[in-house]
């Protein structure tokens, strides 16, 4: 069932069109990520939904109610920004309770809901601390608790983790996902980080220049890019000119198409593997490698073409620079995409 609906939503800033006739439906209880580079319109769409920006054209519905021209405080939306925006002169509990006081809840109800929110964000025992005595990650947890304690219809998160270190960021990603499920929220998360989108999302909406480039589950968007932009932004695909790929493999490629291949689908071996109808076998030379956590990314030259290949980082099984090796590329992982 559609819970949030954007219908031909356009947003202009002067002569600059930031959102270009966006049509998007979000189901109740979904966690949807708006993913894309800076300036693509994802945060602007979030702000339009929250009522912090007025749309230039189109309509927005929440739970079958037209909220296009509704004041922000009438939309029952919780929002967490990159900046924590906590009240420095209030304790953690007072910051979290602020929205409930505005709703004129009883003291007993406020205390109950504040304690519940503190437990959800794993800040039990911190209620009397001031923001200045908390770490950045703890402050963001307070901001999250403040946004959910009023039980909003929709939770909006605008790159809330981008200023937090990698280890804590991963912890908070799981925390947000658990809170989303615990409270059965409809959540929209904005990020430019593809890994974060893969971890967090039920659905990814990939934005490009004010439009939605591709929609789908994380697996679908990752494995089946619909455009060169999508392949460039998600998955670090190798992109090889169709004519060039035909010369390497004999594969017939339509004119004006590019072949895209994920680095982790390619296998490297020292010895030439047995012939297979399912793979292209190419001979190449290792130019170098780059450690990427538990993955080692090789740079391999085949004739005049450079391939990036990801392999598990195992020190006892590494290929030295200038080694001659063989690449096995599954045919079904060679995707042909029309050039833009």
């Amino acid at each position: 069932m559609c819970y949030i609906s954007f219908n031909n939503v356009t947003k202009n800033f002067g002569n600059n069109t930031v959102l270009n006739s966006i049509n998007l439906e979000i189901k109740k209880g979904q966690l949807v990520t708006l993913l894309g580079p800076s300036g693509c319109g994802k945060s602007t769409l979030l702000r339009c939904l929250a009522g912090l920006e007025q749309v230039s054209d189109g309509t927005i519905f929440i739970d079958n109610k037209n909220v296009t021209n509704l004041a922000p405080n009438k939309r029952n939306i919780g929002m967490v920004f990159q900046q924590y925006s906590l009240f420095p002169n209030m304790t953690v509990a007072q910051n979290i309770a602020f929205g409930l006081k505005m709703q004129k809840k009883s003291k007993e109800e406020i205390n109950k809901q504040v304690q519940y929110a503190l437990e959800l964000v794993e800040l039990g025992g911190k209620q009397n601390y001031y923001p200045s005595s908390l770490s950045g990650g703890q402050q963001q947890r307070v901001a999250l608790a403040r946004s959910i304690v009023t039980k909003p219809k929709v939770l909006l998160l605008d790159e809330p983790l981008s200023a937090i270190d990698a280890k804590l960021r991963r912890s908070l990603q799981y925390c947000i996902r658990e809170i989303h499920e615990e409270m059965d929220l409809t959540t929209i998360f904005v990020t430019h980080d593809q890994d974060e989108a893969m971890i967090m999302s039920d659905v990814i909406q990939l934005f490009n220049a004010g439009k939605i480039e591709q929609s789908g589950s994380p697996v679908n968007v990752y494995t089946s890019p619909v455009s060169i932009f999508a392949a460039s932004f998600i998955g670090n695909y190798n992109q090889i000119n169709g004519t060039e790929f035909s010369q390497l493999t004999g594969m017939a490629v339509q004119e004006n198409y590019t072949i895209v291949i994920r680095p982790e689908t390619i296998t490297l071996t020292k010895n030439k593997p047995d012939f297979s109808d399912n793979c292209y076998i190419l001979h190449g030379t290792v130019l170098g490698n780059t450690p990427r956590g538990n993955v080692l990314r090789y740079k391999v030259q085949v004739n005049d073409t450079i391939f990036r290949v990801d392999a598990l980082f195992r020190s006892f099984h590494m290929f030295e620079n200038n080694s001659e090796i063989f690449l096995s590329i599954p045919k079904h992982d060679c995707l042909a995409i029309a050039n833009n």
Side-chain angles (χ1 to χ4, degrees):
M1 176 183 174
C2 175
Y3 191 66
I4 300 172
S5 177
F6 298 89
N7 305 305
N8 296 310
V9 170
T10 296
K11 176 62 180 176
N12 302 315
F13 290 103
N15 295 323
N16 183 25
T17 299
V18 179
L19 296 173
N20 191 349
S21 296
I22 296 293
N23 288 288
L24 171 61
E25 292 186 347
I26 295 172
K27 294 179 180 178
K28 184 174 176 61
Q30 281 187 325
L31 196 160
V32 175
T33 296
L34 310 183
L35 173 67
S38 298
C40 68
K42 56 189 187 297
S43 290
T44 300
L45 187 70
L46 207 70
R47 292 177 64 83
C48 288
L49 178 58
L52 302 178
E53 297 285 355
Q54 185 64 42
V55 303
S56 303
D57 196 14
T59 55
I60 301 173
F61 285 79
I62 300 177
D63 197 13
N64 295 315
K65 181 178 181 179
N66 190 336
V67 300
T68 310
N69 299 308
L70 205 62
N73 64 333
K74 302 293 185 182
R75 300 190 185 199
N76 194 13
I77 286 175
M79 191 161 184
V80 181
F81 298 93
Q82 180 178 344
Q83 298 80 18
Y84 314 132
S85 302
L86 301 177
F87 300 111
N89 60 328
M90 292 185 182
T91 65
V92 166
Q94 290 168 340
N95 266 280
I96 296 172
F98 184 79
L100 294 172
K101 288 183 177 180
M102 294 299 99
Q103 294 179 348
K104 301 188 184 304
K105 300 291 185 181
S106 68
K107 185 175 181 180
E108 181 182 356
E109 179 68 12
I110 289 173
N111 290 338
K112 178 182 176 182
Q113 293 303 323
V114 167
Q115 188 59 41
Y116 174 67
L118 281 167
E119 295 301 325
L120 272 182
V121 299
E122 300 176 358
L123 283 178
K126 298 287 186 181
Q127 59 267 27
N128 296 321
Y129 284 60
Y130 285 88
S132 60
S133 63
L134 301 177
S135 68
Q138 289 173 328
Q139 290 183 53
Q140 193 59 289
R141 287 175 188 263
V142 176
L144 179 60
R146 184 177 60 183
S147 70
I148 62 175
V149 74
T150 55
K151 299 181 179 178
K153 283 188 172 182
V154 181
L155 176 63
L156 308 180
L157 302 124
D158 191 3
E159 304 209 47
L161 309 181
S162 57
I164 296 172
D165 66 81
K167 183 177 179 180
L168 182 56
R169 185 171 184 168
R170 184 60 57 90
S171 172
L172 284 173
Q173 287 167 357
Y174 289 115
C175 176
I176 290 170
R177 181 77 216 191
E178 288 173 358
I179 289 170
H180 162 81
E181 293 173 355
E182 168 80 16
M183 299 188 67
D184 193 27
L185 290 168
T186 303
T187 305
I188 305 178
F189 189 93
V190 166
T191 185
H192 60 269
D193 185 324
Q194 60 157 302
D195 292 333
E196 189 163 77
M198 294 291 292
I199 291 168
M200 300 285 291
S201 315
D202 295 319
V203 176
I204 293 175
Q205 303 288 344
L206 178 61
F207 273 66
N208 180 26
K211 293 185 176 182
I212 296 175
E213 188 87 5
Q214 184 171 356
S215 303
S217 68
V219 171
N220 176 262
V221 172
Y222 183 74
T223 59
S224 303
V226 299
S227 66
I228 298 299
F229 171 80
S232 300
F233 201 82
I234 297 181
N236 298 301
Y237 278 77
N238 291 285
Q239 298 182 28
I240 303 163
N241 175 275
T243 301
E244 187 178 349
F245 195 74
S246 291
Q247 293 171 349
L248 290 173
T249 64
M251 173 183 174
V253 182
Q254 288 181 278
E255 189 175 354
N256 295 322
Y257 272 70
T258 294
I259 303 300
V260 299
I261 308 166
R262 298 198 313 277
E264 71 272 17
T265 63
I266 303 173
T267 301
L268 299 181
T269 56
K270 183 176 180 61
N271 299 315
K272 187 174 182 178
D274 294 335
F275 175 80
S276 170
D277 287 334
N278 299 320
C279 291
Y280 298 113
I281 309 298
L282 306 178
H283 179 254
T285 304
V286 175
L287 299 182
N289 62 66
T290 304
R292 298 168 62 91
N294 65 336
V295 169
L296 197 63
R297 173 160 293 176
Y298 288 96
K299 186 177 180 182
V300 181
Q301 183 170 356
V302 180
N303 295 344
D304 294 325
T305 304
I306 303 297
F307 286 85
R308 297 187 307 277
V309 182
D310 287 349
L312 287 177
F313 196 163
R314 295 175 291 186
S315 59
F316 60 87
H317 185 66
M318 293 175 58
F319 298 102
E320 301 293 334
N321 290 354
N322 301 314
S323 298
E324 293 194 13
I325 49 89
F326 290 90
L327 299 79
S328 299
I329 308 175
K331 292 181 180 179
H332 64 80
D333 286 317
C334 301
L335 308 179
I337 297 179
N339 297 331
N340 298 332

